[in-house]
Amino acid sequence: CQMMKYGQIAGNSSINAMIYHCFEYLCDEDEQKFVKKFQEQPDDSDQITHTFSELVLGAYLCSRGFRVRHDYVINDQTPDWSILDAEGQAIEGIVELTNFHIDKATENQVEEQMRAKGITGYWRDQNKDNVERLYHAIWRKATKYRSLIEELQAPYVVGVFGKFKAVVDFEEVCFCLFDKKTGLFGMYPELSGVLYFEESSGQYSFNYASNPRALRRIELPTGIFPSEAA
């Protein structure tokens, strides 16, 4: 067992345990990339939360049989995750995680409640522009690697993590993608799909929406990580 191979990496003991569990699925080089990132980022920063989400996303894909590499250099660009073929040569897909935030006023309100009471009773409707903000977050990622994926002729997937303070649900994600007038899938056939995941009691549930108009299709699994059997 490699538990505590790098000592306490980040966060509390449960987060630390999850980091080490994720490492069981990664190659040594990617493991070390994440250790370096965690060590360089403050424990309470948004960036470390994003890094942790990136790690969970990659570990889930590995656990489902995909060969993925983190920050793999392709034509001087480094997408979050690149899916490689069995020989580790050809790029079979790119997966990029969106960093979705709630508005600053709601975030301040949540943090104020947490400081005062140790808990927060904030509900989703307080953040009324959730769907609009989510739409723009996915849109930014949909366009980010457009030229690269055209060059590679590879499928492209955006990951969305529904974290506690900026909670969104899969239904809201689907609205952004499938709406008849403004749906991102209709506007961006380069976008093969969106993989949405959220955490509950230490497990992450993943749901995949596939673009019916995609130029290049890839099917990513819906499931739980760590699995019940793990």
Side-chain angles (χ1 to χ4, degrees), residues 14-50:
S14 62
I15 290 175
N16 207 55
M18 177 57 83
I19 290 170
Y20 274 104
H21 181 73
C22 290
F23 282 176
E24 292 175 21
Y25 296 94
L26 303 185
C27 67
D28 287 347
E29 189 178 338
D30 284 351
E31 209 176 275
Q32 286 157 18
K33 282 180 187 175
F34 275 102
V35 172
K36 186 171 186 288
K37 282 188 176 185
F38 283 127
Q39 288 173 342
E40 289 172 349
Q41 295 163 357
D43 277 350
D44 59 350
S45 69
D46 280 338
Q47 189 55 49
I48 206 164
T49 305
H50 187 72

Side-chain angles (χ1 to χ4, degrees), residues 167-179:
V167 66
V168 294
D169 59 30
F170 191 53
E171 188 179 331
E172 289 173 317
V173 172
C174 288
F175 179 81
C176 295
L177 304 175
F178 293 105
D179 183 71

